[in-house]
Amino acid sequence: MTITKDTIIGDILDADRSTAPYFLDMGMHCLGCPASRGETLGEACAVHGVDPDELIAQLNAHLAG
């Protein structure tokens, strides 16, 4: 799986639950609610004031590692 700004957060979590801390660290604490699971990574980053490119790089490195 390669993560982009358009990847749905629920899809990331379903593919690898160990990615959850990355979302918790950015202040996204309601990972189980349907609204957050249906957001794209880009949308969540915009809401939480996180650089999407940085988070994408971290997540892709985590999944590759």
Side-chain angles (χ1 to χ4, degrees):
M1 170 179 219
T2 300
I3 296 172
T4 69
K5 290 179 186 176
D6 296 323
T7 306
I8 303 296
I9 290 173
D11 293 343
I12 298 169
L13 292 168
D14 289 344
D16 188 336
R17 289 274 183 205
S18 70
T19 59
Y22 293 92
F23 297 104
L24 296 172
D25 287 346
M26 71 184 257
M28 192 172 183
H29 298 280
C30 59
L31 294 178
C33 76
S36 69
R37 287 189 52 88
E39 283 183 317
T40 66
L41 188 64
E43 291 168 337
C45 285
V47 169
H48 292 279
V50 172
D51 178 358
D53 295 324
E54 184 177 323
L55 182 58
I56 289 166
Q58 291 173 352
L59 288 167
N60 281 322
H62 174 84
L63 291 173

